[in-house]
Amino acid sequence: MNFKEEMEVRGQAVEAVIRKYLPKEEGFQRIVLEAMNYSVSAGGKRLRPLLMWETYRMFGGEGEAIEPFMAAIEMIHTSSLIHDDLPAMDGDEMRRNKPSTWVAYGEDMAILAGDGLMIFAFETAVKAAALGGAPDRILRALRILSNKTGIYGMIGGQTVDVELTGKPVPADKLDFIYRLKTGALLEASLMIGAVLAGASDEEVGRMERIAGQVGMAFQIRDDILDLIARPEELGKPVKSDEKNHKTTHVTLVGLDQAKRDVEEISGQAIRELEALPSCTEFLKNLIGMLITREK
């Protein structure tokens, strides 16, 4: 089976895991549950749960305890996209070739759906305890998930990003935004997969470094695609950064240098990954695909 076929098979398995943990659309609050499920079910690459699962397998993890965390990381990622698209943020009307949640359900319900997914993600993650997961590993994984999601992770990066929209952004602050807003959930994915599988502290630290490099390269590639891709390829508006007067890595160093930086940073990540005796070809190819993607 080649990489593309493996991606399809594993992608279907990941999709099934995510859908298994979505909330039932019932009760007086049904509308917010519908909005939550609409947003998660809109599709996407499911990169974070796939990376988490593959890391778990790479370090010898077995069993279903990883599944609630896979669903949780995708819920958190989706909640951030719902809020990013709001008029108060990027104001994007399309996401994954569908109307953004605020367009489909209104701003008020989109805010609640984003909040709901963020909290429901942690409700979901703790279900790992009933699936044979070691309590100490689950607790450590929860600490990682909360830290990488909150004010010292994704939300911290979003805060600085929003605060500086329309203003010149120095390189050090832009790196901070990229490391937290994009890199933090990728770091959580690889770290949690390693922790739940019983990896050593050194191995968990290595996965955090690799994910940080991948996150930086991934975001720079996203900046490049925002300039050169077509809307139907990305499934969302292009030139959104330009419209919102956002400083990006491309605006700081230019398109050609940005492409070279992606190659250099991603090369560091791949080399560090290859140094692990348990490195799998699929994980290496998956990380390579993230950084060279066209959409």
Side-chain angles (χ1 to χ4, degrees), residues 29 42-43 47 52 131 138 144 157 167 179 188 207 240 249 279 282 287 292:
Q29 76 275 45
L47 299 175
M52 184 185 291
L131 295 172
I138 292 171
I144 292 168
K167 302 175 184 176
R179 281 192 300 105
M207 298 312 292
S240 178
H249 192 79
C279 173
F282 179 81
I287 287 175
T292 59

Side-chain angles (χ1 to χ4, degrees), residues 202-221:
E202 182 182 351
E203 289 167 329
V204 173
R206 182 186 289 267
M207 298 312 292
E208 183 177 24
R209 289 194 301 275
I210 291 169
Q213 292 162 339
V214 171
M216 184 66 70
F218 183 92
Q219 184 58 58
I220 297 172
R221 182 64 183 164

Side-chain angles (χ1 to χ4, degrees), residues 105-156:
Y105 287 90
E107 288 183 61
D108 49 3
M109 207 51 61
I111 292 169
L112 291 172
D115 292 346
L117 278 173
M118 183 75 72
I119 301 301
F120 191 67
F122 287 90
E123 292 182 47
T124 300
V126 297
K127 293 178 180 178
L131 295 172
D136 58 330
R137 295 179 188 177
I138 292 171
L139 181 59
R140 187 177 176 192
L142 285 168
R143 283 200 299 266
I144 292 168
L145 189 63
S146 58
N147 178 263
K148 297 296 184 180
T149 297
I151 54 175
Y152 300 107
M154 180 189 72
I155 291 174

Side-chain angles (χ1 to χ4, degrees), residues 65-186:
I66 191 69
E67 291 187 358
F69 279 93
M70 290 167 60
I73 200 79
E74 190 66 19
M75 291 173 189
I76 291 169
H77 173 58
T78 302
S79 78
S80 75
L81 300 182
I82 293 173
H83 287 167
D84 272 351
D85 289 338
L86 288 168
M89 304 280 269
D90 291 342
D92 285 335
E93 297 183 1
M94 296 293 293
R95 171 69 64 178
R96 295 166 174 167
N97 286 318
K98 295 177 67 174
S100 299
T101 309
W102 73 269
V103 175
Y105 287 90
E107 288 183 61
D108 49 3
M109 207 51 61
I111 292 169
L112 291 172
D115 292 346
L117 278 173
M118 183 75 72
I119 301 301
F120 191 67
F122 287 90
E123 292 182 47
T124 300
V126 297
K127 293 178 180 178
L131 295 172
D136 58 330
R137 295 179 188 177
I138 292 171
L139 181 59
R140 187 177 176 192
L142 285 168
R143 283 200 299 266
I144 292 168
L145 189 63
S146 58
N147 178 263
K148 297 296 184 180
T149 297
I151 54 175
Y152 300 107
M154 180 189 72
I155 291 174
Q158 288 175 317
T159 299
V160 179
D161 188 31
V162 169
E163 183 184 23
L164 295 176
T165 296
K167 302 175 184 176
V169 182
D172 60 338
K173 286 192 176 181
L174 189 64
D175 285 351
F176 177 89
I177 292 168
Y178 285 6
R179 281 192 300 105
L180 272 65
K181 184 178 178 181
T182 301
L185 288 190
L186 291 171

